[in-house]
Amino acid sequence: MEETIAAVATPMGEGGIGVIRVSGAEAERILLRVFRPAQRLAPRRFSYGRVIDPESGETVDEAMAVFLPAPWTYTREDVAEIQCHGSAVALGKTLELVLRSGARLAEPGEFTKRAFLNGRLDLSQAESVMDLISARTERGYSMALGQLEGKLSGEVRALRERLLELLAHLAVSLDFPEEDVEELSRAKTAEILQSVRAELSGLLATADTGRILREGLKVAIVGRPNVGKSSLLNALLREKRAIVTEIPGTTRDTIEESLDLGGIPLLLTDTAGIRQTEDRIERLGIEKSREAAEDADLVFFLIDAAEPLREEDRAIAEAVRGKRCFLLLNKSDLPQAVAEEEAAALLPGAELLRISAEKKEGLQALEERIRALVYAGALQSGSRPLVNNARHKALLAAAAEELDAALALLSAGEALDLLEMNVRAAWERLGEITGETAAEEIIEEVFRRFCLGK
Ligand code: GDP
């Protein structure tokens, strides 16, 4: 029998209440041992009472508690929840009593893991629980909610079913190797392979959007001193909601800020901290720009359009070449000294926008360009769910590769039975997304990243 587990499910700190969750066959017995309800405890009814030390009889806290019998609980096991006062002392003492009464401290993610093992959630749904908890924007939250509701799982299951059908078809065609049956089989096989492959491409096309909505779009602001990098950062921060994060700046020389741009978390790195006068430090500035750009999904390359271009502008352009860049011609409120063609030649292929960080002009257009960029993949993919998880993306790509291999065998005129291995591998990779064919280590790995009490 599984052990009964317990943990504090709310953050440790000062709160109105704090919740201790207990899950497993012993939940009710343990609850009754540490909690004295004022009236008889009824299932699914909150009861008022006292948490007491069963050995000394001492009162530890005033609390509310509920017992939820299996299977209609988060873990599908018997669950007890005790709502203490939200102090670390009350929670710590109560948890200790629960543990002394026979529960074991839950590992991070263990409640959700049990929900998965007991079939309440599939693996991708379980993963979305963590995303729900850590979502930083409403868009990220609703994406996680969609995944919890099984949008991605549903799509993946449908694709697996078609591959299974194909596997059955391949098995049958082996038994009837006549010419005309074979021809029909090849046509049908090609059709299924291609359509599943196309669905996978569609899902994969959403992966960048999904990742960005979840983790944020990393933007590096680069440009020589005094072009207006700090002014732009400040203008954006004043206009938009700043996101409070715990991501520390990578170096003393750069400032990192997060803001919510219409649901897109923007993680901005400004290299303005570098003050350059000497040649050596100038080179450092260019080096820093290169480093910041390397890490970024998008580079804002600022130039001061009110002054002729300088050698330094060209050096920084060189440093960020090859990255996706927005070339921002700042100080559009002043008389212009840089022609657009001249600026465009600096960074061929970059999107060019005129802005004034000071007057907050052009920021709306900038925002629209960012949005278009982030949603590009997802828009092509119609109403498909967004893939927002690196693990899912890798598995979808691996499945797509197997199908490509199968298609190559087919068009090379190979016998149908040779395709079976690739098709089965694709079916298995997709099953790892939902956890149906995932190995124990993968499942362990997924839940290891959870927080305590979830
Ligand atoms: P950084 O060194 O690149 O961070 O540049 P700053 O943001 O410190 O700006 C340098 C100077 O340019 C400051 O005096 C700003 O007030 C000024 N500045 C920045 N953006 C604009 C703009 O759009 N228009 C005008 N007229 N001045 C600006």
Side-chain angles (χ1 to χ4, degrees):
M1 193 179 65
E2 288 283 350
E3 292 168 288
T4 296
I5 53 173
V8 178
T10 42
M12 276 294 192
E14 288 175 27
I17 59 167
V19 175
I20 287 170
R21 178 146 64 175
V22 187
S23 178
E26 296 279 285
E28 186 177 22
R29 186 190 62 74
I30 292 171
L31 176 63
L32 288 173
R33 195 166 153 77
V34 305
F35 180 71
R36 287 291 126 82
Q39 279 151 350
R40 227 176 81 82
L41 200 71
R44 308 196 168 275
R45 288 264 176 102
F46 259 106
S47 303
Y48 166 80
R50 285 174 304 132
V51 175
I52 52 124
D53 182 333
E55 275 145 39
S56 66
E58 176 204 354
T59 297
V60 169
D61 198 3
E62 240 187 332
M64 299 288 289
V66 64
F67 171 64
L68 308 161
W72 308 117
T73 62
Y74 185 63
T75 54
R76 290 262 163 104
E77 302 174 329
D78 280 357
V79 166
E81 288 186 6
I82 309 174
Q83 295 188 352
C84 303
H85 284 105
S87 91
V89 178
L91 287 167
K93 277 190 164 183
T94 306
L95 180 63
E96 194 193 309
L97 295 177
V98 167
L99 297 179
R100 261 203 272 143
S101 305
R104 158 172 78 66
L105 187 64
E107 288 160 18
E110 198 172 2
F111 292 99
T112 309
K113 186 177 173 186
R114 289 188 174 192
F116 164 70
L117 292 174
N118 293 327
R120 194 177 102 76
L121 300 169
D122 71 30
L123 199 56
S124 79
Q125 287 175 313
E127 284 171 302
S128 71
V129 170
M130 211 47 224
D131 292 343
L132 270 183
I133 295 173
S134 59
R136 283 179 287 169
T137 65
E138 280 179 37
R139 190 65 191 79
Y141 185 84
S142 71
M143 184 170 63
L145 199 59
Q147 192 174 320
L148 180 63
E149 286 170 343
K151 289 214 174 102
L152 179 67
S153 313
E155 200 102 346
V156 167
R157 283 217 180 85
L159 294 178
R160 289 190 85 218
E161 239 158 67
R162 285 163 73 190
L163 291 180
L164 199 60
E165 197 189 307
L166 177 57
L167 283 169
H169 177 72
L170 291 178
V172 170
S173 65
L174 283 183
D175 299 335
F176 301 98
E178 298 90 18
E179 279 284 304
D180 50 341
V181 177
E182 167 82 9
E183 272 316 304
L184 246 170
S185 283
R186 298 187 82 84
K188 182 170 178 199
T189 303
E191 185 197 311
I192 299 181
L193 282 175
Q194 274 154 2
S195 86
V196 174
R197 180 65 181 85
E199 288 294 323
L200 290 180
S201 296
L203 283 171
L204 279 166
T206 70
D208 284 338
T209 306
R211 178 184 64 81
I212 287 166
L213 291 181
R214 176 167 174 250
E215 293 171 10
L217 182 76
K218 281 194 222 144
V219 177
I221 308 180
V222 305
R224 65 174 170 76
N226 287 321
V227 293
K229 297 183 295 297
S230 308
S231 306
L232 175 63
L233 182 66
N234 290 329
L236 288 171
L237 284 174
R238 265 196 304 272
E239 296 260 294
K240 302 289 159 194
R241 192 150 34 117
I243 302 173
V244 183
T245 60
E246 286 161 20
I247 303 167
T250 44
T251 67
R252 280 187 303 119
D253 298 336
T254 56
I255 306 165
E256 289 202 348
E257 298 280 1
S258 318
L259 55 95
D260 180 348
L261 186 138
I264 302 168
L266 228 54
L267 312 176
L268 291 159
T269 308
D270 168 21
T271 54
I274 314 146
R275 284 294 147 225
Q276 304 91 333
T277 41
E278 298 163 40
D279 194 38
R280 194 183 65 79
I281 305 183
E282 249 169 47
R283 271 207 305 278
L284 194 70
I286 290 161
E287 204 37 57
K288 278 273 175 291
S289 303
R290 191 196 312 278
E291 274 174 28
E294 211 154 86
D295 254 15
D297 300 304
L298 175 65
V299 174
F300 290 171
F301 176 29
L302 265 74
I303 60 174
D304 181 343
E307 282 190 28
L309 289 179
R310 294 192 197 163
E311 201 39 54
E312 253 182 297
D313 294 314
R314 296 183 207 288
I316 293 173
E318 197 55 52
V320 301
R321 184 146 302 166
K323 294 298 296 188
R324 192 188 284 277
C325 285
F326 284 0
L327 181 53
L328 305 180
L329 280 61
N330 191 31
K331 310 199 185 179
S332 63
D333 54 304
L334 298 177
Q336 300 292 282
V338 182
E340 279 193 14
E341 308 79 66
E342 196 189 349
L346 207 55
L347 258 187
E351 286 205 47
L352 202 135
L353 283 112
R354 284 192 185 278
I355 62 163
S356 167
E358 188 104 328
K359 300 274 186 291
K360 300 206 186 64
E361 282 161 12
L363 299 186
Q364 194 58 38
L366 178 61
E367 181 176 335
E368 271 151 31
R369 299 280 187 102
I370 294 170
R371 205 194 308 276
L373 183 72
V374 170
Y375 283 103
L379 287 180
Q380 285 163 20
S381 293
S383 61
R384 289 189 181 82
L386 296 181
V387 175
N388 70 350
N389 176 305
R391 194 182 76 84
H392 301 167
K393 183 185 175 186
L395 288 167
L396 289 167
E401 246 175 61
E402 298 290 350
L403 295 187
D404 285 342
L407 279 163
L409 289 174
L410 193 68
S411 59
E414 297 287 353
L416 284 183
D417 58 326
L418 285 179
L419 275 57
E420 200 243 330
M421 220 170 71
N422 295 116
V423 175
R424 181 170 299 279
W427 178 79
E428 278 171 6
R429 294 295 84 72
L430 293 181
E432 285 178 42
I433 295 176
T434 51
E436 279 151 294
T437 54
E440 181 67 23
E441 309 87 74
I442 295 168
I443 293 165
E444 291 293 327
E445 183 55 37
V446 164
F447 288 103
R448 225 194 315 277
R449 288 178 292 118
F450 269 64
C451 54
L452 212 64
K454 192 60 218 181

